[in-house]
Amino acid sequence: MINLIIFGPPGSGKGTQAAKLVKKYKLQHISTGDLFRYNLSNNTKLGKEAKKYMDKGELVPDKVTIKMLKDKVESSGKVAGFILDGFPRTIAQSKALDKFLKSRKQSVSKLVMLDVPDEELKERLLERGKTSGRADDVNPKIIQNRIDVYKNTTYPVFNYYFKDRNAVKVWGVGSLETVFKRLCFEINDLEVVKKTKKLAAAKRARAKKATEKKSKAKKTSTKKASKKKAGPKLKTAKPRKKTSSKRAKKK
Ligand code: AMP
């Protein structure tokens, strides 16, 4: 199981990069922000509760968020792993996640943080606000509050995982592809990813061999069939030479 955390301040590109990583590593993407917005648009009890905090750029209480995350993981069925985007955002959430994964005989494989300077974050969020329809992307005060909450409450999560040496910072400024390559470089370094890749390569090789064997068998059987259709080869009789005795008779 690969359990990645894509981490970083609001506007650092977590969601965009997570969508690309999910495709490459065949993982299940869980974004707590998206889950809250889904509940909000469906006017659920959870959505109504979360709205009070989201509108102000505050964090939704841990208890509510942790439960939502666990429910989502548990209902995800058989997957190769998860990319958690926007979770954990507090130390309490990190501890709850570790405990939850441990109960499933798993752990966090790696936390990759997208490092982006504040000024760039503000610009990106205001730009996104023009089209995203997200109320928390429009107001500069709310944007600033989200960045402050990140620095004060969320950033310590990086240090929490860094202690176990499975947290890295990746420079999050550059083209989408460049940042993606930087992330992949860090993820490919994981033992669990190397092992998965090896297994996949072996599986591909086995499949290739089987198809080659099949097509070889097919070729031989069509050759045999066409021979059968043509019937037995008839020997063309050679013109008989006149024998000398015949010639002698004629004379
Ligand atoms: P995001 O889309 O990740 O920027 O999240 C949007 C908003 O959802 C945040 O500003 C919080 O109000 C709420 N939210 C998302 N994830 C969490 C979390 N792990 N803990 C608490 N609140 C969260």
Side-chain angles (χ1 to χ4, degrees), residues 32-33 36-37 54 58 60 65 86-87 89 93 134 146:
T32 40
F36 283 134
R37 279 185 289 279
M54 291 171 83
E58 299 286 340
V60 179
T65 312
F87 186 95
R89 259 173 154 108
Q93 288 180 17
R134 280 179 58 170
R146 288 165 67 199

Side-chain angles (χ1 to χ4, degrees), residues 22-40:
V22 157
K23 272 194 196 157
K24 184 173 164 89
Y25 297 97
K26 315 241 172 340
L27 303 171
Q28 162 94 35
H29 181 196
I30 300 185
S31 154
T32 40
D34 284 352
L35 287 176
F36 283 134
R37 279 185 289 279
Y38 176 80
N39 276 281
L40 221 105

Side-chain angles (χ1 to χ4, degrees), residues 8-11 14 31-37 50-62 65-66 68-69 85-90 93 125 128 134 136-137 142 146 149 154:
K14 299 187 295 291
S31 154
T32 40
D34 284 352
L35 287 176
F36 283 134
R37 279 185 289 279
K51 191 178 181 333
K52 291 187 253 169
Y53 303 91
M54 291 171 83
D55 280 353
K56 290 184 270 179
E58 299 286 340
L59 294 182
V60 179
D62 284 336
T65 312
I66 292 165
M68 180 178 74
L69 186 277
D85 159 10
F87 186 95
R89 259 173 154 108
T90 63
Q93 288 180 17
L125 288 169
R128 186 168 83 181
R134 280 179 58 170
D136 58 349
D137 281 347
I142 294 174
R146 288 165 67 199
V149 168
T154 304

Side-chain angles (χ1 to χ4, degrees), residues 5 7 170 187 216-217:
I5 298 174
F7 191 77
V170 162
I187 296 165
K216 212 174 167 184

Side-chain angles (χ1 to χ4, degrees), residues 208-225:
K208 199 181 162 197
K209 224 174 170 181
T211 1
E212 275 169 7
K213 208 173 160 187
K214 234 182 189 175
S215 71
K216 212 174 167 184
K218 206 177 168 188
K219 260 186 203 166
T220 341
S221 75
T222 39
K223 228 180 184 176
K224 271 186 190 164

Side-chain angles (χ1 to χ4, degrees), residues 170-189:
V170 162
W171 187 233
V173 183
S175 74
L176 211 120
E177 272 314 310
T178 309
V179 177
F180 181 62
K181 274 187 192 152
R182 288 179 196 143
L183 287 171
C184 292
F185 179 80
E186 293 299 339
I187 296 165
N188 289 340
D189 196 39

